[in-house]
Amino acid sequence: VQLQASGGGLVQDGGSLRLSCATSERTFRSYAMGWFRQAPGKERGFVAGISWRGDKTSYIDSVKGRFTISRDEARNTVYLQMNSLKPEDTAVYYCAADWGPLMRTMSGEYWGQGTLVTVSS
């Protein structure tokens, strides 16, 4: 399972970014996919996930209403649209995939490379 993440960068407080995670069609149609993040000095944690059918999503409370996860069937790509970004969202964001259905969170069976998101105050 290969996951290619992109889209990080530097943005001001209140700004927006969109992260992308591209994968193969086989993975896209069989795995729940999502995003984790790891801030400096902290453990990696789940942020958002979407089922392989695209009919279920899950978010941590701190990003609900600000972040939206979605899928593009034509591109085999999952997106994380991040709006109203805050300095506390600063972290390395990792794309992840889990075999089977989306649970309330994800375990992260497979990982893409990280992409750095920095939100300046």
Side-chain angles (χ1 to χ4, degrees), residues 20-52:
S20 300
C21 179
T23 188
S24 69
E25 181 177 0
R26 174 183 175 276
T27 300
F28 192 76
R29 296 184 183 280
S30 303
Y31 287 73
M33 294 180 64
W35 295 90
F36 286 65
R37 67 186 179 186
Q38 186 169 18
K42 295 187 177 181
E43 294 186 353
R44 189 178 303 187
F46 173 75
V47 176
I50 189 166
S51 62
W52 66 268

Side-chain angles (χ1 to χ4, degrees), residues 6-94:
S6 61
L10 173 64
V11 65
Q12 290 188 331
D13 190 356
S16 298
L17 281 174
R18 189 178 75 164
L19 305 183
S20 300
C21 179
T23 188
S24 69
E25 181 177 0
R26 174 183 175 276
T27 300
F28 192 76
R29 296 184 183 280
S30 303
Y31 287 73
M33 294 180 64
W35 295 90
F36 286 65
R37 67 186 179 186
Q38 186 169 18
K42 295 187 177 181
E43 294 186 353
R44 189 178 303 187
F46 173 75
V47 176
I50 189 166
S51 62
W52 66 268
R53 284 197 178 98
D55 58 345
K56 296 180 181 179
T57 58
S58 181
Y59 300 91
I60 56 173
D61 288 344
S62 62
V63 306
K64 285 180 180 177
R66 300 189 298 123
F67 290 12
T68 303
I69 191 168
S70 62
R71 291 160 49 95
D72 185 333
E73 298 265 337
R75 291 179 170 80
N76 298 324
T77 299
V78 171
Y79 300 103
L80 186 67
Q81 178 66 43
M82 305 185 294
N83 298 328
S84 302
L85 282 161
K86 305 175 182 180
E88 51 263 43
D89 294 316
T90 294
V92 177
Y93 284 70
Y94 296 89

